[in-house]
Each structure stands twice: as C-alpha cells, then as structure tokens.
Amino acid sequence: MLKRIVSLAIIASFSAGAVFAAGAGAKNKTQDWHFEGMFGTYDKAAAQRGFQVYQEVCAACHSLKYVAFYNLGDKGAPFYDPEYPNPNDNPVIKAIAKMFTIIDGPDESGDMFERPGITADKIPNPYANEMAAKASNMGAFPPDLSLITRARADGSNYLYSLLTGYEDPPEGMKLSPGMSYNPYFSGGNQIAMGAPLTEGRVEYTDGTEASVDQMAKDVVEFLTWAADPKMEQRKRTGWVVLIYLFLLALLLYGSYRAVWRDVKH
Ligand code: HEC
C-alpha cells in the first residue's frame, strides 16, 4: 500500500513538472456553465446547437471516435427523446447518421465502399489515418475531441477560451508560416488551427444568433457532454444515496431511542 502511495506521489510530481515544462497559456476565461454544481444538467438546446457546430465546422478536421450516433439519443444526451427509449428508433438520430458518409468494406471483390451512416456507426474520422491528418494540417495533428474537455485542465473553460481567444500577435512577435496567435494555447501561443469560428459561421436551425461567443459556448456544452455522458445520471444517483442515508440515519436514531427507552443511563 505504502509503496503504491509513494509511486503515485512520484508520478504526480513528474506530471506536474511536465505541465510546467510545456509552458502554460493565459488564464482561462471562466463561464457559468449550466452543467456545473450539484444540480447542474446539460442545456439540451445548447448541446444540440453545439452538435451542429461540431458537424458543420469541427468535423472537417476532428474525429469524435468514442461517440456513436445512437449515443446522441441516449438518456441525458442532447437528442434524447423519452418517446424513443431505444435511440436506434429515434428518427432524429437516424437522420443525423444518414448525413455522414461511412467508408465500409471490403465487399466481395475486396473493395472499400461508401454508404450513408446508420445509428450503430461511430462518428467517422475525416481523415483516413494520422499521417493524412497531419499532411493536411502542416504537420499538426487535430486531436480527437471525444474526451478533450477532460484531457485539458479546466477543460470546458479552456476550450471556450481557446475558441474565442484568437487575436493579432503582440508587436514584435513573428509567427511561423501558417500559424495563428492564441494566448490560451500552451504551445508557445502559436497554434496550427486557424480560428475555426467566425460570425455567422453556421445558421442555427432554432434561430439563435450565431455569434462566435454563442457557437463557442454551444460546442463546449456539446463536447462536455461527449466527455462525460453519464454526468446527470451520476448526480441523480448521488442524491438518491444521500436521501437514503439520511432516512436510514433517522430510522436508526428512532430505533436507538426505542430500544433504550426503559433503560436508565
Ligand atoms: C481546418 C481544420 C480544423 C478545424 C475546422 C478545426 N480544427 Fe481544431 N485543430 C486543428 C489542428 C491542426 C489542431 C492542432 C493544433 C496544434 O497542435 O498547433 C487543432 C487543435 C484543436 C484543439 C487542441 C488544442 C490543445 O490544447 O491542444 C482543440 C480543443 C480543437 N482543435 C477544437 C476545435 C473545435 C471545437 C473546432 C470546431 C469549432 C475545431 N477545432 C475546428 C484543426 C482544425
């Protein structure tokens, strides 16, 4: 046991060192997120808009490999509909899956072929492989976004800050060719992803105005859900357990009083 604690402490100190070595970016802009706090839940409308932003903007470069289409219709997910407890029957989920092209195969003649997505498919990778992704992005790899809000410290605020943080480089700073300046990005504040969001980049189906700030917030809501899809369930279970323990405590106290009622002490 002690050995394990010591080795954990050693690992922790090394990883802390690594974070500092990478050179931290600017302090994140902090938002009041709907999903924060003990009662926090995902804002479903925002997460649905966020999926639209992912699909129309980010999906050109970033995969979301741990999310299958039917996950979008699971309980607690952006497109959950109580009428369809099985998300594979949900027409909205079917329609979303159909919009994506899946490379499947090989067929009988050994060739790969394209087909529209079905609910059981994972959201497909825009690139055939990592090398192809790098080749299209000046050698930089657009990371998978399934767990990105957990893979970065203070992930949701970081992602929001990164997406809204593009600005002109400070006087005297020379950017490498093709790079953009973003003070929130830790790698020397130069990032190989050009500002992906611009005013009105998507046209929201619910009529919300697509400002950069709005799109950033919405895509963060969606990607936070993707990284922690069971959050609402977990919080609900936590409350049920607390209430149960509280009632149990009352009951135990009551029976303690009853048992000792006639005993002088
Ligand atoms: C044209 C391609 C392209 C598009 C579109 C794009 N990205 Fe990126 N993204 C990249 C590349 C390339 C990198 C790697 C940057 C680097 O390492 O310098 C990256 C990196 C990132 C990172 C990681 C930053 C870090 O801390 O390491 C996040 C998060 C991210 N993108 C989110 C998004 C989101 C959200 C969208 C949609 C709103 C989006 N990207 C759209 C190409 C793209």
Coordinates of all heavy atoms in Angstrom, one line a residue, residues 111-176:
D111 N -13.1 -4.5 -52.4 CA -13.0 -3.0 -52.5 C -13.8 -2.4 -51.3 O -14.8 -2.9 -50.8 CB -13.6 -2.5 -53.8 CG -12.9 -3.0 -55.0 OD1 -11.6 -3.1 -54.9 OD2 -13.5 -3.3 -56.0
M112 N -13.2 -1.3 -50.8 CA -14.0 -0.5 -49.8 C -15.0 0.3 -50.6 O -14.9 0.6 -51.8 CB -13.0 0.5 -49.1 CG -11.8 -0.2 -48.5 SD -12.3 -1.4 -47.2 CE -12.6 -0.4 -45.8
F113 N -16.1 0.6 -49.9 CA -17.2 1.3 -50.5 C -17.8 2.3 -49.5 O -17.6 2.2 -48.3 CB -18.3 0.4 -51.0 CG -18.9 -0.5 -50.0 CD1 -20.1 -0.1 -49.3 CD2 -18.3 -1.7 -49.6 CE1 -20.6 -0.8 -48.3 CE2 -18.9 -2.5 -48.6 CZ -20.0 -2.0 -47.9
E114 N -18.5 3.3 -50.1 CA -19.1 4.4 -49.2 C -20.6 4.1 -49.1 O -21.2 3.6 -50.0 CB -18.9 5.7 -49.9 CG -17.5 6.2 -49.8 CD -17.3 7.6 -50.3 OE1 -18.3 8.2 -50.8 OE2 -16.2 8.1 -50.2
R115 N -21.1 4.4 -47.9 CA -22.5 4.2 -47.7 C -22.9 5.3 -46.6 O -22.1 5.8 -45.9 CB -22.9 2.8 -47.1 CG -22.2 2.5 -45.8 CD -22.7 1.3 -45.1 NE -22.0 1.0 -43.9 CZ -22.1 1.5 -42.8 NH1 -23.0 2.5 -42.6 NH2 -21.4 1.1 -41.7
P116 N -24.2 5.6 -46.6 CA -24.7 6.6 -45.6 C -24.6 5.9 -44.2 O -24.7 4.7 -44.1 CB -26.1 6.9 -46.0 CG -26.5 6.0 -47.1 CD -25.3 5.2 -47.5
G117 N -24.4 6.7 -43.2 CA -24.3 6.2 -41.8 C -25.6 5.6 -41.3 O -26.7 6.0 -41.7
I118 N -25.5 4.7 -40.4 CA -26.6 4.2 -39.6 C -26.4 4.5 -38.1 O -25.3 4.8 -37.7 CB -26.9 2.7 -39.9 CG1 -25.6 1.9 -39.5 CG2 -27.3 2.4 -41.3 CD1 -25.8 0.4 -39.5
T119 N -27.4 4.3 -37.3 CA -27.3 4.7 -35.9 C -26.2 4.0 -35.1 O -25.7 4.5 -34.2 CB -28.7 4.5 -35.2 OG1 -29.0 3.1 -35.3 CG2 -29.7 5.4 -35.7
A120 N -25.9 2.8 -35.6 CA -24.9 2.0 -34.9 C -23.4 2.4 -35.2 O -22.5 2.0 -34.5 CB -25.0 0.5 -35.2
D121 N -23.3 3.2 -36.2 CA -21.9 3.7 -36.6 C -21.4 4.7 -35.6 O -22.1 5.4 -34.9 CB -21.9 4.4 -37.9 CG -22.1 3.4 -39.1 OD1 -21.5 2.3 -39.0 OD2 -22.9 3.7 -40.0
K122 N -20.0 4.7 -35.5 CA -19.3 5.8 -34.7 C -19.3 7.0 -35.6 O -19.2 6.8 -36.9 CB -17.9 5.3 -34.4 CG -17.9 4.1 -33.4 CD -17.8 4.7 -32.0 CE -17.9 3.6 -30.9 NZ -16.9 2.6 -30.8
I123 N -19.2 8.2 -35.1 CA -19.0 9.4 -35.9 C -17.6 9.2 -36.6 O -16.6 8.9 -36.0 CB -19.0 10.6 -35.0 CG1 -20.4 10.8 -34.4 CG2 -18.6 11.8 -35.8 CD1 -20.6 12.0 -33.6
P124 N -17.6 9.3 -38.0 CA -16.4 8.9 -38.7 C -15.3 9.9 -38.6 O -15.5 11.1 -38.4 CB -16.9 8.7 -40.1 CG -18.1 9.6 -40.2 CD -18.7 9.6 -38.9
N125 N -14.1 9.4 -38.8 CA -12.9 10.2 -38.8 C -12.8 10.9 -40.2 O -13.0 10.3 -41.2 CB -11.7 9.3 -38.6 CG -10.4 10.1 -38.3 OD1 -10.3 11.2 -38.8 ND2 -9.6 9.6 -37.4
P126 N -12.6 12.3 -40.2 CA -12.5 12.9 -41.5 C -11.3 12.5 -42.3 O -11.2 12.7 -43.5 CB -12.4 14.4 -41.1 CG -12.0 14.5 -39.7 CD -12.5 13.2 -39.1
Y127 N -10.3 11.9 -41.7 CA -9.0 11.5 -42.4 C -8.9 10.0 -42.3 O -9.3 9.4 -41.4 CB -7.8 12.2 -41.7 CG -7.8 13.7 -41.8 CD1 -8.1 14.4 -40.6 CD2 -7.7 14.4 -42.9 CE1 -8.1 15.8 -40.6 CE2 -7.7 15.8 -43.0 CZ -7.9 16.5 -41.8 OH -8.0 17.8 -41.8
A128 N -8.2 9.5 -43.4 CA -8.0 8.1 -43.4 C -7.1 7.6 -42.3 O -7.3 6.5 -41.8 CB -7.4 7.7 -44.8
N129 N -6.1 8.4 -41.9 CA -5.2 8.0 -40.8 C -4.5 9.2 -40.3 O -4.7 10.3 -40.8 CB -4.2 6.9 -41.3 CG -3.5 7.4 -42.6 OD1 -2.9 8.4 -42.6 ND2 -3.7 6.6 -43.7
E130 N -3.7 9.0 -39.3 CA -3.0 10.1 -38.6 C -2.0 10.9 -39.6 O -2.0 12.1 -39.5 CB -2.2 9.6 -37.4 CG -1.7 10.7 -36.5 CD -1.0 10.2 -35.2 OE1 -1.5 9.2 -34.7 OE2 -0.1 10.9 -34.8
M131 N -1.4 10.1 -40.4 CA -0.4 10.8 -41.3 C -1.2 11.7 -42.3 O -0.8 12.8 -42.6 CB 0.4 9.8 -42.1 CG 1.4 9.0 -41.3 SD 2.2 9.9 -40.0 CE 3.5 10.7 -41.0
A132 N -2.3 11.2 -42.8 CA -3.1 12.0 -43.7 C -3.6 13.3 -43.0 O -3.6 14.4 -43.6 CB -4.3 11.2 -44.2
A133 N -4.0 13.1 -41.7 CA -4.5 14.3 -41.0 C -3.4 15.3 -40.8 O -3.6 16.5 -41.0 CB -4.9 13.8 -39.6
K134 N -2.1 14.8 -40.5 CA -1.0 15.8 -40.4 C -0.7 16.4 -41.7 O -0.4 17.6 -41.8 CB 0.2 15.0 -39.8 CG 0.1 14.7 -38.4 CD 1.4 14.1 -37.9 CE 1.3 13.8 -36.4 NZ 2.4 12.9 -35.9
A135 N -0.7 15.6 -42.8 CA -0.3 16.2 -44.1 C -1.2 17.3 -44.5 O -0.8 18.3 -45.1 CB -0.4 15.0 -45.1
S136 N -2.5 17.2 -44.0 CA -3.5 18.3 -44.4 C -3.4 19.5 -43.5 O -4.0 20.5 -43.7 CB -4.9 17.8 -44.4 OG -5.0 16.6 -45.1
N137 N -2.6 19.4 -42.4 CA -2.6 20.5 -41.4 C -1.2 20.9 -41.0 O -0.9 21.1 -39.8 CB -3.4 20.0 -40.1 CG -4.9 19.9 -40.3 OD1 -5.6 20.9 -40.4 ND2 -5.4 18.7 -40.5
M138 N -0.4 21.0 -42.0 CA 1.0 21.5 -41.8 C 1.8 20.7 -40.7 O 2.5 21.3 -39.9 CB 1.0 23.0 -41.5 CG 0.4 23.8 -42.5 SD 0.3 25.5 -42.0 CE -0.7 25.4 -40.5
G139 N 1.5 19.4 -40.7 CA 2.2 18.6 -39.7 C 1.6 18.5 -38.4 O 2.1 17.7 -37.5
A140 N 0.6 19.4 -38.1 CA 0.0 19.3 -36.8 C -1.2 18.4 -36.8 O -1.9 18.3 -37.8 CB -0.5 20.7 -36.3
F141 N -1.4 17.7 -35.7 CA -2.5 16.7 -35.7 C -3.7 17.2 -34.9 O -3.6 17.6 -33.8 CB -2.0 15.4 -34.9 CG -3.0 14.3 -34.8 CD1 -3.5 13.7 -36.0 CD2 -3.5 13.9 -33.6 CE1 -4.5 12.7 -35.9 CE2 -4.4 12.9 -33.5 CZ -4.9 12.3 -34.7
P142 N -4.8 17.3 -35.6 CA -6.1 17.7 -34.9 C -6.5 16.6 -34.0 O -6.9 15.6 -34.5 CB -7.1 18.0 -36.0 CG -6.4 17.7 -37.3 CD -5.1 17.0 -37.0
P143 N -6.5 16.8 -32.7 CA -6.8 15.7 -31.8 C -8.2 15.3 -31.8 O -9.1 16.1 -32.2 CB -6.4 16.2 -30.4 CG -6.5 17.7 -30.5 CD -6.1 18.0 -31.9
D144 N -8.5 14.0 -31.5 CA -9.9 13.5 -31.3 C -10.5 14.4 -30.2 O -9.9 14.6 -29.2 CB -9.9 12.1 -30.9 CG -11.3 11.5 -30.8 OD1 -11.9 11.2 -31.9 OD2 -11.9 11.4 -29.7
L145 N -11.8 14.8 -30.4 CA -12.4 15.7 -29.4 C -13.3 15.0 -28.4 O -13.9 15.6 -27.6 CB -13.2 16.8 -30.2 CG -12.4 17.7 -31.0 CD1 -13.3 18.8 -31.7 CD2 -11.3 18.4 -30.2
S146 N -13.4 13.6 -28.5 CA -14.4 12.9 -27.6 C -14.1 13.2 -26.1 O -15.0 13.4 -25.3 CB -14.2 11.4 -27.7 OG -14.2 11.0 -29.1
L147 N -12.8 13.3 -25.7 CA -12.5 13.5 -24.3 C -11.8 14.8 -24.0 O -11.2 14.9 -23.0 CB -11.7 12.3 -23.8 CG -12.4 10.9 -23.9 CD1 -11.4 9.8 -23.6 CD2 -13.5 10.9 -22.9
I148 N -11.8 15.7 -25.0 CA -10.9 16.9 -24.9 C -11.2 17.7 -23.7 O -10.3 18.2 -23.1 CB -11.0 17.7 -26.2 CG1 -9.8 18.6 -26.3 CG2 -12.3 18.5 -26.3 CD1 -8.5 17.9 -26.7
T149 N -12.5 17.8 -23.2 CA -12.7 18.7 -22.1 C -12.2 18.0 -20.8 O -12.1 18.7 -19.8 CB -14.2 19.0 -21.9 OG1 -15.0 17.8 -21.7 CG2 -14.8 19.8 -23.1
R150 N -11.9 16.7 -20.8 CA -11.3 16.1 -19.7 C -9.8 16.0 -19.8 O -9.0 15.9 -18.8 CB -11.8 14.7 -19.5 CG -13.2 14.6 -19.0 CD -13.6 13.2 -18.9 NE -14.8 13.0 -18.1 CZ -14.9 12.1 -17.2 NH1 -14.0 11.2 -16.9 NH2 -16.0 12.0 -16.5
A151 N -9.3 16.1 -21.1 CA -7.9 16.0 -21.3 C -7.1 17.2 -21.0 O -5.9 17.2 -21.0 CB -7.6 15.5 -22.7
R152 N -7.8 18.3 -20.8 CA -7.1 19.6 -20.5 C -7.6 20.1 -19.2 O -8.8 19.9 -18.8 CB -7.5 20.7 -21.6 CG -7.1 20.4 -23.0 CD -5.6 20.5 -23.2 NE -5.2 20.2 -24.6 CZ -5.0 18.9 -25.0 NH1 -5.1 17.9 -24.2 NH2 -4.6 18.7 -26.3
A153 N -6.7 20.7 -18.4 CA -7.1 21.3 -17.1 C -8.2 22.3 -17.3 O -8.2 23.1 -18.3 CB -5.9 21.9 -16.5
D154 N -9.2 22.2 -16.4 CA -10.4 23.2 -16.5 C -10.9 23.2 -17.9 O -11.1 24.2 -18.6 CB -9.8 24.6 -16.1 CG -10.9 25.6 -15.9 OD1 -12.1 25.1 -15.7 OD2 -10.7 26.8 -16.0
G155 N -11.1 22.0 -18.5 CA -11.3 21.7 -19.9 C -12.4 22.6 -20.6 O -12.2 23.1 -21.7
S156 N -13.6 22.7 -19.9 CA -14.7 23.5 -20.6 C -14.3 24.9 -20.8 O -14.5 25.5 -21.8 CB -16.0 23.3 -19.8 OG -16.3 21.9 -19.7
N157 N -13.8 25.5 -19.7 CA -13.4 26.9 -19.8 C -12.2 27.1 -20.7 O -12.1 28.1 -21.5 CB -13.0 27.5 -18.4 CG -14.2 27.7 -17.5 OD1 -15.2 28.2 -18.0 ND2 -14.1 27.4 -16.3
Y158 N -11.3 26.1 -20.7 CA -10.1 26.2 -21.6 C -10.6 26.2 -23.1 O -10.2 27.0 -23.9 CB -9.2 25.0 -21.4 CG -8.1 24.9 -22.5 CD1 -7.1 25.9 -22.6 CD2 -8.2 23.9 -23.4 CE1 -6.2 25.8 -23.6 CE2 -7.2 23.8 -24.5 CZ -6.2 24.7 -24.6 OH -5.3 24.7 -25.6
L159 N -11.5 25.3 -23.4 CA -12.0 25.1 -24.8 C -12.7 26.4 -25.2 O -12.5 26.9 -26.3 CB -12.9 23.9 -24.9 CG -13.4 23.6 -26.3 CD1 -12.2 23.4 -27.3 CD2 -14.2 22.3 -26.3
Y160 N -13.5 27.0 -24.3 CA -14.2 28.2 -24.6 C -13.2 29.3 -24.9 O -13.3 30.1 -25.8 CB -15.2 28.6 -23.5 CG -15.7 30.0 -23.6 CD1 -16.8 30.2 -24.5 CD2 -15.2 31.0 -22.8 CE1 -17.3 31.5 -24.6 CE2 -15.7 32.3 -23.0 CZ -16.7 32.6 -23.9 OH -17.2 33.8 -24.0
S161 N -12.2 29.4 -24.0 CA -11.2 30.5 -24.1 C -10.4 30.3 -25.4 O -10.1 31.3 -26.1 CB -10.2 30.4 -22.9 OG -10.9 30.4 -21.7
L162 N -10.0 29.1 -25.7 CA -9.3 28.8 -26.9 C -10.0 29.3 -28.2 O -9.5 30.0 -29.1 CB -8.9 27.3 -27.0 CG -8.0 26.9 -28.2 CD1 -6.6 27.3 -27.9 CD2 -8.1 25.4 -28.5
L163 N -11.3 28.9 -28.2 CA -12.1 29.2 -29.4 C -12.4 30.7 -29.6 O -12.6 31.1 -30.7 CB -13.4 28.4 -29.4 CG -13.3 26.9 -29.5 CD1 -14.6 26.2 -29.3 CD2 -12.7 26.5 -30.9
T164 N -12.5 31.4 -28.5 CA -12.8 32.8 -28.6 C -11.6 33.7 -28.4 O -11.6 34.9 -28.3 CB -13.8 33.2 -27.5 OG1 -13.3 32.8 -26.2 CG2 -15.2 32.5 -27.7
G165 N -10.4 33.0 -28.3 CA -9.2 33.8 -27.9 C -8.2 34.2 -29.0 O -7.1 34.7 -28.7
Y166 N -8.6 34.0 -30.3 CA -7.7 34.3 -31.4 C -7.6 35.8 -31.4 O -8.6 36.6 -31.3 CB -8.2 33.8 -32.7 CG -8.0 32.3 -32.9 CD1 -8.9 31.4 -32.4 CD2 -6.9 31.8 -33.5 CE1 -8.7 30.0 -32.5 CE2 -6.7 30.5 -33.7 CZ -7.6 29.6 -33.2 OH -7.4 28.2 -33.3
E167 N -6.4 36.3 -31.6 CA -6.2 37.8 -31.7 C -4.9 38.0 -32.5 O -4.1 37.1 -32.8 CB -6.1 38.4 -30.4 CG -5.2 37.8 -29.4 CD -5.2 38.4 -28.0 OE1 -6.2 38.1 -27.3 OE2 -4.3 39.1 -27.6
D168 N -4.6 39.3 -32.8 CA -3.3 39.6 -33.5 C -2.2 39.3 -32.6 O -2.3 39.6 -31.4 CB -3.3 41.1 -33.9 CG -4.4 41.3 -35.0 OD1 -4.7 40.3 -35.7 OD2 -4.9 42.4 -35.1
P169 N -1.0 38.9 -33.1 CA 0.1 38.6 -32.2 C 0.6 40.0 -31.7 O 0.5 41.0 -32.3 CB 1.1 38.0 -33.2 CG 0.7 38.3 -34.5 CD -0.8 38.5 -34.5
P170 N 1.2 39.9 -30.5 CA 1.8 41.2 -29.9 C 2.9 41.7 -30.8 O 3.5 41.0 -31.6 CB 2.3 40.7 -28.6 CG 2.3 39.2 -28.6 CD 1.5 38.7 -29.7
E171 N 3.0 43.0 -30.7 CA 4.1 43.7 -31.5 C 5.4 43.0 -31.4 O 5.8 42.6 -30.3 CB 4.2 45.1 -31.0 CG 4.8 46.0 -32.0 CD 3.8 47.2 -32.4 OE1 2.6 47.0 -32.2 OE2 4.3 48.2 -32.8
G172 N 6.1 42.8 -32.5 CA 7.4 42.2 -32.4 C 7.4 40.7 -32.4 O 8.5 40.1 -32.6
M173 N 6.3 40.1 -32.3 CA 6.3 38.6 -32.3 C 6.1 38.1 -33.7 O 5.2 38.6 -34.4 CB 5.2 38.1 -31.4 CG 5.1 36.5 -31.5 SD 3.8 36.0 -30.3 CE 3.9 34.2 -30.6
K174 N 7.0 37.2 -34.2 CA 6.9 36.8 -35.6 C 6.3 35.3 -35.5 O 6.9 34.4 -35.0 CB 8.3 36.8 -36.2 CG 8.1 37.1 -37.7 CD 9.5 37.4 -38.3 CE 9.6 37.1 -39.8 NZ 8.5 36.5 -40.5
L175 N 5.1 35.2 -36.2 CA 4.5 33.9 -36.2 C 5.2 33.0 -37.3 O 5.6 33.5 -38.3 CB 3.0 34.0 -36.6 CG 2.1 34.6 -35.5 CD1 0.7 34.8 -36.1 CD2 2.1 33.8 -34.2
S176 N 5.3 31.7 -37.0 CA 5.8 30.8 -38.1 C 4.7 30.8 -39.2 O 3.5 31.0 -38.9 CB 6.0 29.4 -37.5 OG 6.8 29.5 -36.3

